[in-house]
Amino acid sequence: MAQPLIKVPPTKNTLIRLKKQARFLEDGHDLLERKRELLTRLVYERIGEYRRLRTECEQLLAEAYRSLAIAHLRLGNRTLRQAALGIEPAIAIEILPRRALGVEYPAVTSHRLPLKPVGLLGSDVSFDTARERLAEATVMLAQLSEVEIALYRLLEEQRKAQKRVNALKYNIIPRYHRTIRYIQSALEEEERNTLFQVRLLRSRDRKAASAD
């Protein structure tokens, strides 16, 4: 179903103004289309990176939980809880804002810190192995979180850009063009009527002059 015309008076000034607005909207459509294409490209790049990091995280987490399970069996739940109370961070994380194509998302930088010894009686190498594996998995999870948040926000912006492009292409711009054609047709019809009336008046004048 065709959208209704824009409610404006069919005058030459209106026609000129609508043509300028239509050109502005077409330029805006082209810019949005380019932005949508760039966002789509970034989304596909992030999807590949996200899948790679997710696979690596799953592998590291599986190894970390396996090492933790071994430490739990050897040391017991109570000993591990006591050790966790006084343990110091094993990684350092810095979060800064980053922007791409108008989309802001956190840039996460993470790196390992040297593991400090824990004065735990009866501990063995399984405890330190579990700490190492968990620290490695946490660093990778921090990288995955950045990519996941960026991917989500890029997808949202890409959907918004696609929605605006479609609205301009299939609704707003065609409505302007239909209104412009209607005004042009109305002005042409008015001009034809004016010419007809002028010719009619001239014809009457000539007949009146010949009659005199």
Side-chain angles (χ1 to χ4, degrees):
M1 181 178 178
Q3 293 291 329
L5 299 176
I6 301 172
K7 294 182 179 180
V8 290
T11 63
K12 290 185 178 180
N13 288 334
T14 301
L15 181 62
I16 293 171
R17 177 168 55 86
L18 287 181
K19 285 183 175 180
K20 289 181 179 179
Q21 291 175 351
R23 285 194 295 269
F24 176 78
L25 289 171
E26 289 167 355
D27 292 340
H29 170 269
D30 293 340
L31 289 173
L32 277 173
E33 180 66 27
R34 285 197 290 271
K35 179 180 179 180
R36 185 195 63 80
E37 292 174 355
L38 290 173
L39 284 169
T40 302
R41 188 182 305 168
L42 283 177
V43 165
Y44 278 110
E45 290 175 359
R46 289 285 181 170
I47 286 176
E49 188 178 4
Y50 171 76
R51 288 173 177 170
R52 177 182 62 80
L53 289 175
R54 186 180 177 88
T55 300
E56 293 181 11
C57 281
E58 289 174 351
Q59 295 173 353
L60 289 175
L61 283 172
E63 295 175 3
Y65 279 114
R66 190 180 302 112
S67 299
L68 183 61
I70 293 173
H72 186 271
L73 287 174
R74 291 184 176 181
L75 303 177
N77 186 54
R78 182 177 179 181
T79 303
L80 287 178
R81 285 180 177 274
Q82 289 177 349
L85 292 176
I87 203 167
E88 294 187 15
I91 65 170
I93 297 178
E94 184 180 11
I95 301 176
L96 296 173
R98 180 179 293 178
R99 183 177 293 272
L101 295 174
V103 181
E104 185 172 313
Y105 57 90
V108 182
T109 303
S110 60
H111 61 274
R112 291 278 309 275
L113 296 176
L115 292 180
K116 296 184 178 181
V118 178
L120 186 64
L121 295 176
S123 64
D124 58 14
V125 70
S126 64
F127 181 69
D128 291 332
T129 301
R131 293 173 65 195
E132 289 279 353
R133 297 289 182 269
L134 287 170
E136 291 173 359
T138 305
V139 169
M140 189 61 66
L141 283 172
Q143 297 177 19
L144 178 63
S145 66
E146 175 189 334
V147 175
E148 188 171 357
I149 293 173
L151 177 60
Y152 173 79
R153 294 184 180 178
L154 287 170
L155 278 170
E156 285 295 311
E157 190 66 22
Q158 194 266 349
R159 292 190 189 102
K160 291 179 183 178
Q162 182 67 64
K163 187 175 181 180
R164 291 167 183 160
V165 166
N166 290 340
L168 286 169
K169 183 177 181 180
Y170 298 110
N171 185 357
I172 299 174
I173 293 177
R175 189 179 180 190
Y176 269 79
H177 287 167
R178 285 195 298 271
T179 305
I180 288 170
R181 288 194 296 269
Y182 167 77
I183 293 176
Q184 287 175 334
S185 177
L187 291 175
E188 289 171 358
E189 181 67 24
E190 183 180 353
E191 185 177 356
R192 284 193 295 268
N193 290 335
T194 301
L195 289 173
F196 176 77
Q197 292 174 4
V198 168
R199 290 173 182 173
L200 185 61
L201 290 173
R202 287 178 178 176
S203 177
R204 289 178 180 176
D205 291 340
R206 284 196 296 269
K207 287 181 181 179
S210 61
D212 292 342

